[in-house]
Amino acid sequence: MRYSLLFIVLLLPLSLFAQKERRTACMVGIGPTEIYDTYLSQEHFDGVGLTVLATVQTLPTGKHWTTLVEHQAHLSTTDDRSGDSHEIFGDYSLFLGRMRSFNILPSLSVEVGAMAVGNVGFIYNTSNGNNPAQARVSLNLMPAVTASWDFCLLKRKCALHYEAQLPLVGVMFSPNYGQSYYEIFSRGNYDHNIVPTTFVSAPYMRHQLMADVNIGPTATLRLGYLADLQQAKVNNLKSHVYSNHFMIGFVKRFTITHHRP
């Protein structure tokens, strides 16, 4: 009895602390990018793009809900078919998600949830005198799903991850057909420039397929593929930015302990 009481006293402080596992990943990717924006040009532009992707996933111990935060930056230089005209594209996206996990098998898990996505960027056409640039600002609510499969290969822990998001509803900024930015910002002539969007008018599909190979107690090498396919048809203007990039980076895992109030 005395030893039981001593054991309970020693464990009592531990019950006052909660643990969370945090996984952080930083990746860099490169690959082809295609740009089409009828506000700037009727031509398609193709080139090479660079993507930087940083991910933070928080998993409270013993709970099924996870928080996912992703930062994605993209920069591309592209040319038209003749090579006489060039466009530069850049954007930054912030993904904030809440996911519910389900263990299908001991080695297979699926997460389902939703993400709020904010995007800001630009397209600059080096050949245009009037209206050489197009601003890109949007906010979307997107259902999301992830799947993870853990396995061993050559005595190393490995995993495959798939992640996909599709748009549901949102809003975006767009000039109207034939409207200049001077009219919008200098003269204040609003012409339906804040546009509600759905998966019909602005389909946005984003897919990730990643392979992890454990290289240390808390470090993992990650290789994969990121497809970011953005489209819109609003205000009689059409646009799309398609990027297919091959990614490489590292994942770190941390255990965070904080005091429960």
Side-chain angles (χ1 to χ4, degrees), residues 117-139:
V117 184
N119 176 272
V120 57
F122 69 92
I123 303 174
Y124 177 70
N125 189 303
T126 60
S127 302
N128 287 4
N130 295 324
N131 297 331
Q134 168 74 302
R136 296 171 58 86
V137 181
S138 64
L139 180 65

Side-chain angles (χ1 to χ4, degrees), residues 53-113:
L53 177 63
T55 302
V56 179
Q57 186 176 18
T58 304
L59 305 91
T61 302
K63 297 184 178 180
H64 297 287
W65 288 94
T66 65
T67 302
L68 184 62
V69 180
E70 295 185 350
H71 304 268
Q72 180 178 307
H74 180 192
L75 182 65
S76 296
T77 58
T78 59
D79 305 312
D80 65 359
R81 290 174 294 179
S82 65
D84 297 328
S85 185
H86 314 280
E87 285 188 347
I88 301 172
F89 167 76
D91 78 347
Y92 163 77
S93 297
L94 173 63
F95 299 80
L96 301 175
R98 189 72 170 162
M99 312 291 288
R100 175 62 161 85
S101 62
F102 300 90
N103 292 324
I104 308 301
L105 296 171
S107 60
L108 177 64
S109 62
V110 174
E111 294 183 340
V112 179

Side-chain angles (χ1 to χ4, degrees), residues 244-256:
N244 296 276
H245 291 180
F246 297 95
M247 312 291 291
I248 184 171
F250 294 93
V251 182
K252 295 283 289 182
R253 297 184 300 278
F254 305 90
T255 300
I256 302 172

Side-chain angles (χ1 to χ4, degrees), residues 4 17 26 53 68 112 140-141 160 167 170 206 224 233 250 253:
S4 298
F17 292 84
C26 186
L53 177 63
L68 184 62
V112 179
N140 284 284
L141 179 63
L160 284 178
R206 182 172 179 262
K233 183 180 180 182
F250 294 93
R253 297 184 300 278

Side-chain angles (χ1 to χ4, degrees), residues 228-247:
D228 196 324
L229 312 174
Q230 305 178 31
Q231 302 179 76
K233 183 180 180 182
V234 297
N235 288 346
N236 297 308
L237 297 172
K238 295 181 181 180
S239 68
H240 69 236
V241 178
Y242 300 152
S243 62
N244 296 276
H245 291 180
F246 297 95
M247 312 291 291

